Amino acid sequence: QALGLGDISMALDAACASSLYSMKLACSYLLSHQADMMLAGAVSSADPWFVSMGFSTFNAFPEQNREQKAENQLSYPLDKKSTGLNSAEGAGMFVLKRYEDAIEDGDTIAAVISGIGLSNDGKGKFVLSPNQSGQEICYQRAYENSDINPQDVDYIECHATGTPLGDETEINSMKGYFGDKDVHFSMGTAKSNFGHLLTSAGMAGMLKIILSMKNDLI
């Protein structure tokens, strides 16, 4: 509304999946020709007291795990010695257009979205306990909607917050989906550099991998 771009606008909250949900909704508007350009973004700037109290309640911070050695009271995403997450603030925004329109308009194209997969764990587990089956469904739906063959994947940018349960579940989900496809890939997470940006975590991850492709560097 502030930019006068039109009357299609919405705010959503899908917790850590908010970034990807905004991208999915924007793509749907573009593919249905209800819009010719969309801005999809996410902001994480919650009250620090609220964030600290919330994650402390669930023992998600490394320093809360007193049984661990002092040197292990840090966040190491995708590492067995990690004992929790570091919360952070940030924001990200993408300008999205249909590929053929971007070509015709002479736009600089940073990346192409081939497919997006969404799912919901429902009542399978507690809200902060990831569900492996739900994550595998996301992979399945993403590649069903894509022209990319899973066997051709070279790299996966993970959510990987640094919590033992979350990271182990995500690794098992990748093993469950890709395990029988004879595929070998590298993986990483922006949270080892930025911390967990909560609602805008996906923006950091997507920006990282787009810049990685641009600079041919992981």
Side-chain angles (χ1 to χ4, degrees):
Q1 291 173 349
L3 297 175
L5 294 178
D7 56 7
I8 297 176
S9 62
M10 66 183 70
L12 64 91
D13 183 358
C16 304
S18 296
S19 298
L20 293 180
Y21 266 87
S22 71
M23 299 285 280
K24 174 66 171 178
L25 289 170
C27 289
S28 295
Y29 274 102
L30 291 170
L31 294 175
S32 63
H33 290 266
Q34 297 180 68
D36 294 323
M37 183 182 75
M38 295 291 291
L39 295 180
V43 177
S44 178
S45 184
D47 183 281
W49 182 88
F50 175 78
V51 172
S52 296
M53 286 295 294
F55 282 117
S56 293
T57 300
F58 300 112
N59 294 318
F61 289 129
E63 61 269 18
Q64 292 180 287
N65 296 286
R66 300 300 182 186
E67 71 279 3
Q68 299 288 337
K69 294 182 180 179
E71 62 268 23
N72 284 354
Q73 292 178 9
L74 296 172
S75 182
Y76 301 95
L78 296 175
D79 193 314
K80 286 185 177 181
K81 65 184 177 183
S82 184
T83 56
L85 61 83
N86 288 328
S87 59
E89 296 180 342
M93 183 75 69
F94 287 97
V95 179
L96 303 178
K97 299 175 75 172
R98 290 181 292 273
Y99 179 74
E100 59 273 14
D101 290 348
I103 292 291
E104 184 177 348
D105 295 341
D107 294 328
T108 299
I109 300 174
V112 176
I113 299 172
S114 180
I116 300 177
L118 302 178
S119 74
N120 193 309
D121 289 345
K123 64 178 182 179
K125 285 191 175 182
F126 177 62
V127 64
L128 292 182
S129 300
N131 191 319
Q132 179 177 337
S133 61
Q135 292 184 0
E136 290 186 33
I137 290 173
C138 282
Y139 284 119
Q140 178 182 340
R141 291 175 177 171
Y143 288 104
E144 285 177 351
N145 296 325
S146 170
D147 57 2
I148 294 177
N149 191 319
Q151 280 83 353
D152 296 330
V153 172
D154 294 316
Y155 177 85
I156 291 182
E157 176 67 15
C158 301
H159 185 57
T161 62
T163 60
L165 175 61
D167 288 5
E168 182 179 2
T169 301
E170 189 168 5
I171 290 174
N172 287 336
S173 298
M174 287 186 283
K175 180 180 179 181
Y177 180 78
F178 293 100
D180 61 347
K181 295 177 173 58
D182 190 28
V183 56
H184 303 279
F185 50 79
S186 301
M187 56 186 175
T189 173
K191 294 176 186 64
S192 56
N193 300 96
F194 295 122
H196 188 355
L197 275 65
L198 311 178
T199 48
S200 61
M203 287 292 156
M206 286 185 284
L207 285 167
K208 171 192 167 182
I209 194 60
I210 289 172
L211 290 172
S212 294
M213 291 190 294
K214 177 181 178 181
N215 293 284
D216 195 26
L217 177 69
I218 297 297

